[in-house]
Amino acid sequence: MPMIGARRFGLVKSGVLTAMAALVVALPLQAAEEDPWEGVNRVVYRFNDTLDTYTLKPLAKGYQKVTPDFVEDRIGNFFGNLGDVIVMTNDLLQGKPREAGIDASRILFNTTFGVLGLFDVATHMGLQKNDEDFGQTLGVWGLGNGPYVVLPLLGPSTVRDAAGRVPDAFLQPYPYMDDVPTRNLTRGVGLVDTRAGLLSAEKLITGDEYIFVRNAYLQNREFRTRDGQVEDDF
């Protein structure tokens, strides 16, 4: 190799190695900043995983096995229609009148023509479902994520998203249902239906499950909060 070429190759190689070294150093530092409570979070994660393995996951598998796809879709649509109330409210709080109008129309059409939301007629009408919650609203208002935290029973979150769960809870019908058995049954069916929808996603998990779930959650939340306008740091 000529001297100039060798020198250029050496500079390029050195630059690549330096960049790789910086990346290796930066990743643990970033993880430490995002997840300073990792020790406690891992304990809670194991607790949640054990509880899920022996209770919720078997229920979800049984539910998926005995429930026809048509019925399962109708149940998913019903709870999705309830969730659109949260989406519409946060559209307004984020200053998105167009999206709020779309979600209000979705609620109207799905609740009426869609028989209480059992059929998603709004999507077939071109009214695409949006995805907003109060955690994202706080992000739009400029509040940072805060540390990553694993909540008992509820799973991955951040301090900001955990706080955002409170106002969103009052936009759900459960606090206003006086009949306790009906309320608990509705909550239970919604929880099992949601868990059943996640069964296929488990195949994507590789390596350290805790780190995979944490990184996937944080990246997904950033993508949703910024409406997809994110930069690839790498």
Side-chain angles (χ1 to χ4, degrees):
M1 180 181 298
M3 183 62 66
I4 295 178
R7 184 178 300 172
R8 183 175 300 170
F9 174 78
L11 290 173
V12 172
K13 181 179 179 182
S14 175
V16 172
L17 292 176
T18 301
M20 291 178 63
L23 182 62
V24 170
V25 172
L27 287 177
L29 288 175
Q30 182 181 4
E33 292 175 357
E34 294 176 339
D35 191 8
W37 307 327
E38 182 174 347
V40 176
N41 283 337
R42 282 186 178 272
V43 173
V44 178
Y45 182 87
R46 285 194 294 270
F47 167 78
N48 288 347
D49 186 58
T50 301
L51 192 64
D52 175 71
T53 299
Y54 293 103
T55 57
L56 192 55
K57 187 175 180 178
L59 285 173
K61 286 184 174 180
Y63 164 82
Q64 198 172 60
K65 186 175 183 179
V66 302
T67 306
D69 291 342
F70 176 82
V71 176
E72 190 174 343
D73 289 342
R74 302 290 77 75
I75 294 174
N77 288 341
F78 173 79
F79 286 103
N81 189 49
L82 295 179
D84 280 344
V85 176
I86 297 175
V87 176
M88 180 194 67
T89 304
N90 283 284
D91 283 334
L92 293 172
L93 292 174
Q94 294 177 27
K96 299 177 178 178
R98 178 180 178 276
E99 287 78 2
I102 291 175
D103 289 313
S105 300
R106 285 183 55 84
I107 295 170
L108 175 63
F109 291 129
N110 285 341
T111 303
T112 54
F113 300 118
V115 192
L116 299 179
L118 295 177
F119 297 88
D120 186 5
V121 297
T123 297
H124 295 290
M125 296 171 63
L127 299 171
Q128 297 301 317
K129 186 178 182 71
N130 294 301
D131 181 11
E132 304 291 352
D133 55 48
F134 197 69
Q136 295 178 61
T137 297
L138 292 173
V140 172
W141 290 353
L143 187 65
N145 278 321
Y148 176 75
V149 58
V150 181
L151 301 173
L153 305 179
L154 298 177
S157 185
T158 61
V159 171
R160 184 189 72 196
D161 291 343
R165 288 176 177 268
V166 178
D168 281 344
F170 289 99
L171 295 174
Q172 296 178 344
Y174 309 118
Y176 314 104
M177 298 174 67
D178 295 328
D179 188 73
V180 176
T182 302
R183 181 178 65 208
N184 292 341
L185 177 62
T186 306
R187 276 184 175 274
V189 172
L191 181 62
V192 172
D193 180 74
T194 300
R195 183 64 182 88
L198 296 173
L199 289 173
S200 59
E202 294 181 354
K203 300 176 183 179
L204 301 175
I205 298 177
T206 59
D208 187 323
E209 186 174 304
Y210 171 84
I211 293 178
F212 184 96
V213 172
R214 180 191 67 194
N215 292 346
Y217 176 83
L218 292 175
Q219 290 171 15
N220 177 260
R221 290 300 293 177
E222 180 184 15
F223 183 88
R224 291 166 62 184
T225 301
R226 300 187 180 185
D227 294 330
Q229 303 300 316
V230 295
E231 295 181 1
D232 188 344
D233 293 335
F234 180 74

